[in-house]
Amino acid sequence: MVRPAYRSRSKARVIRRVPSGEARVYYKKRRFYEARCAICGAPLGGVPRDYNIIRWGAKTRKRPERYFGGVVCPKCLPLLLKLAIRGGS
């Protein structure tokens, strides 16, 4: 049986023929996509795409240190804050 990390169906399986002639299953790593704004969909600056930073980096390296950092872009932030303060839905 494979390692528990590879039992997930979210990892793509690739069948490759090795020099000995047998077919082996290899597991592709997940691709990290660019972080985008939840409101307008613009790419977010200051949010890394590197797997090592996302997995093991400090929280301050993963997203900007402001309200809704890493979720909403700076252009949409005033709109969101106004809605949050005024109690809009």
Side-chain angles (χ1 to χ4, degrees), residues 15-26:
I15 298 173
R16 288 232 173 108
R17 196 161 295 282
V18 292
S20 65
E22 67 175 313
R24 282 202 186 148
V25 178
Y26 287 90

Side-chain angles (χ1 to χ4, degrees), residues 5-74:
Y6 292 138
R7 288 185 206 151
S8 169
R9 293 304 291 184
S10 61
K11 288 192 181 280
R13 286 147 202 249
V14 180
I15 298 173
R16 288 232 173 108
R17 196 161 295 282
V18 292
S20 65
E22 67 175 313
R24 282 202 186 148
V25 178
Y26 287 90
Y27 298 88
K28 275 180 134 181
K29 284 187 177 179
R30 290 183 204 158
R31 182 172 169 213
F32 277 85
Y33 291 96
E34 189 173 42
R36 295 195 164 265
C37 174
I39 296 173
C40 68
L44 294 177
V47 181
R49 290 179 66 178
D50 185 19
Y51 175 75
N52 293 321
I53 294 175
I54 298 289
R55 180 78 194 269
W56 292 288
K59 191 182 272 189
T60 54
R61 292 182 67 196
K62 295 178 188 179
R63 82 282 183 271
E65 289 253 15
R66 61 174 146 74
Y67 292 118
F68 298 102
V71 179
V72 178
C73 71

